[in-house]
Amino acid sequence: MDSCSFSFTFGIWWLLAVTNHMIQSIEGRSPESPLQCNQTLCTLHNSYGKWGDRKDCYALNATYPTTEEELLAAVSFAVKNNLKAKVVTRFSHTIPKLACPADRAAQSSFFISTERYNRQIQIDAANSVVTVVAGVGLRQLIDAVEAAGFSLVASPYWEGVTIGGLISTGAHGSSWWGKGGAVHDHVVGLSIVVPASQSEGYAKILRMEAYDPLFKAAKLSLGVLGAISKVNLRIEPSFKRSITYNFTSDVGLEDLYGEHAKKYEFADITWYPSQHTAVYRYDSRVPLNTSGNAVFDFIGFQATSTLVSEAVRATETMFEKSKNMRGKCVTAEGTIAFKKATANGLKNNGIIFTGYPVIGHQNKMQTSGSCLTSSSILSSCAWDPRIKGLFFYESTAIFPASIFRNFILDVKKLRDQNPEYFCGVDNYNEQMMH
């Protein structure tokens, strides 16, 4: 276990009420592009509408390549003209300003967007490898692979990311099995466009495989080494998953997490310290012929009524201003009860939750984000900056598995001194252990 680690996410996300569950038939509007340009300036913000310092990124120009050749030309242009360039995606979910080219004036900055570089997915069935260009969305890739009789084993729970973005930022699901839950650990090849000399045209394409010295660095480059062009991912024959959530006491959590991770391939644990509750996800593969056609439509990623999102934010603001800790605890209790009743968005028949276990194909059970594809103005992703909806910050800590027990015990000691102090976090996406 010393070679393993636990990713522990402190999420301040959203509170959903039964009211929202009753209006899920209302479609929501899709998020707008984070990159907006006019005749004089291009502005980039993240999908939440704000960076940590509340300032957007600016550049005089942006380009939208559609092919690898056009991406190469874009990097060449930036290098030749001594511009600070960054590749941006159609989603921009980073909370820190990693996508900003520089802190200097817009005149020296240049955006390269992969929003239109998204039309190439090649499946090599004989070698169980899929090659995909950087701008392809995760949902687009997952469905294409599944249609060919394969599954992508690892992916984050949120599907609103591109392949280039999720690889370079280390996005992951949850697993200690095999190569693990990080998508970049399933990458077997990579193409990246990097600066070059004038004689080489100011930019060139590097094709890398696992034996290349820069391979690991290029996978997790955060856009520093160059622009990821293509990614080769290992895929496996299609499979199904069986998921059961066990809402139970957090007694012994510090001793159970390791065995839980070893027993279930896609295990995770959600912890609500103020409520003394741990939610163990029993999540494993089952044979493809196992009955079940379920969908995981995570509650927080569903289209949410604008009125509900704004009411939740107004309620939280009121609690903050009045320092009403008890109010936060009451809503935390309601949040957990609602998630338990709805199995956190699992739907046995694709419509409603009817009982455990919930069994479905991998492409419908790992990743979700239905608010991305909605169209009505009555609802949206709960954090859509066009409404006065939820506004949150998320942070992650990584621990070696061997010392994670001590961290849990420390948190419990703090909790036991004053449980109400943890109700604010438990209102939202609590503390998730990957």
Side-chain angles (χ1 to χ4, degrees):
M1 287 179 57
D2 287 343
S3 62
C4 303
S5 65
F6 243 98
S7 175
F8 194 77
T9 302
F10 301 83
I12 298 180
W13 289 76
W14 40 77
L15 170 64
L16 292 173
V18 176
T19 306
N20 184 54
H21 184 63
M22 295 170 62
I23 62 171
Q24 286 304 312
S25 60
I26 301 177
E27 294 286 322
R29 53 181 170 180
S30 300
E32 67 177 359
S33 172
L35 180 59
Q36 301 290 328
C37 295
N38 55 34
Q39 294 181 342
T40 59
L41 195 68
C42 290
T43 303
L44 177 72
H45 59 78
N46 64 12
S47 63
Y48 316 114
K50 297 292 182 183
W51 304 104
D53 58 8
R54 305 296 179 101
K55 296 179 181 178
D56 292 326
C57 304
Y58 302 98
L60 286 183
N61 294 294
T63 186
Y64 294 79
T66 61
T67 65
E68 188 175 53
E69 291 73 22
E70 291 179 2
L71 178 61
L72 177 66
V75 175
S76 175
F77 173 82
V79 175
K80 182 179 180 179
N81 292 279
N82 196 29
L83 299 174
K84 292 288 186 179
K86 268 294 184 71
V87 177
V88 300
T89 73
R90 60 182 292 248
F91 297 113
S92 188
H93 280 282
T94 177
I95 289 178
K97 298 175 73 171
L98 297 174
C100 294
D103 292 329
R104 296 187 295 173
Q107 288 81 354
S108 64
S109 297
F110 184 56
F111 290 127
I112 302 174
S113 173
T114 60
E115 182 173 350
R116 301 170 191 168
Y117 184 42
N118 62 354
R119 298 183 181 178
Q120 186 177 345
I121 301 175
Q122 297 177 328
I123 298 174
D124 181 353
N127 293 303
S128 298
V129 172
V130 59
T131 300
V132 56
V133 297
V136 167
L138 178 57
R139 170 52 56 191
Q140 180 185 355
L141 172 62
I142 287 174
D143 288 346
V145 167
E146 201 76 22
F150 292 90
S151 289
L152 190 67
V153 176
S155 69
Y157 296 164
W158 168 241
E159 65 185 41
V161 291
T162 63
I163 301 308
L166 73 90
I167 293 298
S168 61
T169 57
H172 59 88
S174 185
S175 183
W176 279 357
W177 292 34
K179 289 187 174 295
V183 184
H184 61 266
D185 284 331
H186 297 260
V187 174
V188 296
L190 193 73
S191 297
I192 186 168
V193 182
V194 299
S197 64
Q198 179 178 356
S199 62
E200 294 175 298
Y202 296 102
K204 60 183 178 181
I205 301 173
L206 299 181
R207 312 285 187 192
M208 298 185 184
E209 297 184 7
Y211 57 80
D212 288 296
L214 286 177
F215 184 65
K216 291 183 178 180
K219 288 192 297 182
L220 296 165
S221 63
L222 299 178
V224 174
L225 292 181
I228 292 178
S229 169
K230 295 181 180 179
V231 178
N232 304 323
L233 282 162
R234 181 72 63 194
I235 52 180
E236 297 185 13
S238 294
F239 61 90
K240 286 186 171 181
R241 284 164 64 169
S242 173
I243 300 177
T244 296
Y245 283 115
N246 180 18
F247 287 73
T248 187
S249 168
D250 66 0
V251 172
L253 173 61
E254 63 275 10
D255 296 316
L256 296 175
Y257 71 88
E259 292 303 315
H260 178 66
K262 289 189 290 185
K263 186 175 182 180
Y264 300 98
E265 181 175 4
F266 303 104
D268 66 31
I269 304 171
T270 305
W271 186 22
Y272 301 86
S274 74
Q275 307 301 307
H276 295 260
T277 298
V279 183
Y280 295 86
R281 178 164 162 155
Y282 304 153
D283 188 346
S284 299
R285 301 188 195 208
V286 293
L288 197 58
N289 60 2
T290 305
S291 177
N293 193 29
V295 171
F296 180 43
D297 187 15
F298 176 58
I299 290 172
F301 298 159
Q302 296 174 8
T304 305
S305 162
T306 299
L307 294 177
V308 171
S309 298
E310 292 181 344
V312 169
R313 182 166 181 177
T315 300
E316 180 185 343
T317 300
M318 179 184 65
F319 288 157
E320 284 289 322
K321 288 183 177 179
S322 63
K323 298 183 180 180
N324 186 346
M325 300 300 295
R326 183 55 193 158
K328 290 186 178 183
C329 292
V330 170
T331 51
E333 292 171 6
T335 298
I336 298 173
F338 180 64
K339 288 184 176 182
K340 184 176 182 179
T342 59
N344 215 15
L346 287 171
K347 302 176 180 180
N348 299 73
N349 55 8
I351 301 175
I352 60 173
F353 169 66
T354 58
Y356 294 118
V358 183
I359 298 172
H361 292 273
Q362 163 72 346
N363 68 317
K364 299 295 185 182
M365 299 291 276
Q366 169 71 10
T367 297
S368 62
S370 57
C371 70
L372 286 169
T373 55
S374 308
S375 57
S376 169
I377 62 172
L378 299 177
S379 53
S380 65
C381 294
W383 57 90
D384 193 314
R386 291 170 293 184
I387 63 174
K388 293 182 180 179
L390 303 188
F391 187 65
F392 57 87
Y393 182 81
E394 179 181 314
S395 184
T396 298
I398 298 176
F399 299 84
S402 58
I403 66 171
F404 190 63
R405 180 180 190 274
N406 295 334
F407 173 79
I408 295 175
L409 290 174
D410 286 344
V411 173
K412 283 186 173 183
K413 288 178 182 178
L414 292 173
R415 183 270 314 274
D416 293 342
Q417 291 178 22
N418 198 328
E420 290 187 345
Y421 287 171
F422 284 82
C423 291
V425 176
D426 289 354
N427 259 313
Y428 302 91
N429 210 36
E430 61 308 301
Q431 301 178 16
M432 176 170 283
M433 306 175 194
H434 293 283

